[in-house]
Amino acid sequence: MSDEKLGLYKEIPGGLHKDRSTADDWRKAKDTLYYEWWRCLNASNEYLECRAKGGKNHPLTDTYALFGDVNVSWAQWWVNIGKHIFSERRQYPKVRAIDQDEALSKLEVESKDFLILDIPLNLRRVTILEHINKLLDEHHNGKNLDVRAQSTALVQLETTKLQHKTIPILVDVAEILYRNPDIQLYQLAQRAKLAEHHLGRAVSEALSADEEKQRRQMAATRYKQQAQRLVYNAARLKFPSID
């Protein structure tokens, strides 16, 4: 796909525009799950082993064929690879007016991807919008709509129950484990800065030093397991997932 057709991304509201500088592009993309996926692969011994083999004769060859060498700066990787594999392959459909012939042709198509409305233009705008909203409540999935399932990008994000704010924390843990594979659980909890709400209790709860250490070790154990699963799945084109 040529750069002329790039620019629509599920994770970037408004997409990227041709008049925006390259620096603005990768900075905007850095606030997305695309960046966390790239970080995960840089914390994957398996993936970096595949990279060392040039992506050949390795179980992760398919992943490498898409993501390539991630052991470069985020800006460089995004410009050369990221924006191409995550960009949608077709334009998003738009709300538009259609003529009678097109309306009739649409009625012959067995699809639930659109809704034809008869909007009388001699009503007040606010009244029309009220009616439209009621119809959308009846026919649209609303918050249950799986937007990612509609993606046409070469590489697609998983629909996950993980909270968006939790994923960067898990990737932080993965990076710490990658750099310090023998780190103690309590040290992991400290270095990852697992806050009180991550430990599952109120700040006001008083604990002894031993209880505090035990609680942090338990939290670190949970986050370590989830981070390892996140990295494992990321290297297998499944992200974000801890299944």
Side-chain angles (χ1 to χ4, degrees):
M1 176 182 278
S2 68
D3 284 357
E4 294 296 316
K5 296 181 180 179
L6 294 175
L8 295 176
Y9 301 86
K10 293 293 185 185
E11 290 295 300
I12 304 177
L16 302 178
H17 305 287
K18 296 175 184 177
D19 57 352
R20 182 182 289 124
S21 70
T22 299
D24 286 340
D25 274 359
W26 66 257
R27 286 194 182 98
K28 193 168 185 179
K30 194 173 182 179
D31 294 327
T32 69
L33 292 179
Y34 306 140
Y35 176 62
E36 302 305 332
W37 199 338
W38 173 81
R39 289 177 66 202
C40 260
L41 294 180
N42 270 297
S44 169
N45 286 307
E46 282 185 292
Y47 189 80
L48 296 178
E49 178 186 80
C50 180
R51 166 187 173 269
K53 294 183 176 182
K56 298 178 181 178
N57 301 317
H58 194 278
L60 300 181
T61 294
D62 290 343
T63 306
Y64 189 86
L66 290 165
F67 282 83
D69 186 1
V70 297
N71 198 218
V72 295
S73 72
W74 164 252
Q76 182 179 342
W77 183 82
W78 174 259
V79 170
N80 293 334
I81 297 177
K83 73 175 186 179
H84 297 275
I85 63 175
F86 289 121
S87 179
E88 296 300 312
R89 263 45 204 171
R90 65 169 180 245
Q91 298 289 318
Y92 298 152
K94 296 181 179 180
V95 177
R96 59 192 179 87
I98 59 177
D99 59 27
Q100 182 179 358
D101 290 339
E102 186 175 356
L104 291 173
S105 66
K106 274 186 168 291
L107 290 173
E108 297 174 358
V109 178
E110 294 183 6
S111 173
K112 296 182 180 180
D113 292 339
F114 62 87
L115 177 67
I116 296 178
L117 302 178
D118 178 10
I119 302 176
L121 297 179
N122 57 350
L123 296 178
R124 293 173 61 232
R125 189 184 185 94
V126 65
T127 303
I128 291 174
L129 291 176
E130 286 177 1
H131 292 178
I132 290 175
N133 285 331
K134 287 180 180 179
L135 289 168
L136 287 177
D137 288 340
E138 294 176 19
H139 298 277
H140 195 278
N141 287 330
K143 292 181 179 180
N144 295 322
L145 179 66
D146 188 355
V147 177
R148 288 177 183 163
Q150 325 298 321
S151 178
T152 57
L154 290 177
V155 177
Q156 301 172 16
L157 292 162
E158 294 283 311
T159 299
T160 179
K161 293 182 180 179
L162 277 173
Q163 291 188 0
H164 198 290
K165 64 182 180 181
T166 301
I167 297 169
I169 299 171
L170 291 177
V171 182
D172 287 344
V173 171
E175 288 181 336
I176 294 170
L177 291 171
Y178 172 73
R179 298 190 186 101
N180 308 274
D182 299 322
I183 191 171
Q184 298 297 311
L185 290 173
Y186 183 67
Q187 293 175 320
L188 175 61
Q190 287 182 311
R191 195 167 297 185
K193 298 179 181 178
L194 298 181
E196 298 299 327
H197 62 280
H198 299 141
L199 300 177
R201 70 174 195 279
V203 177
S204 59
E205 182 181 342
L207 295 175
S208 68
D210 287 342
E211 289 173 330
E212 173 72 19
K213 185 173 183 178
Q214 183 179 23
R215 187 69 71 90
R216 288 186 178 273
Q217 287 174 331
M218 290 173 61
T221 298
R222 184 173 72 255
Y223 273 82
K224 178 180 179 179
Q225 292 173 345
Q226 292 182 349
Q228 289 172 331
R229 291 301 302 174
L230 189 73
V231 170
Y232 178 88
N233 288 329
R236 288 160 178 78
L237 297 175
K238 190 176 180 181
F239 183 88
S241 172
I242 56 173
D243 295 336

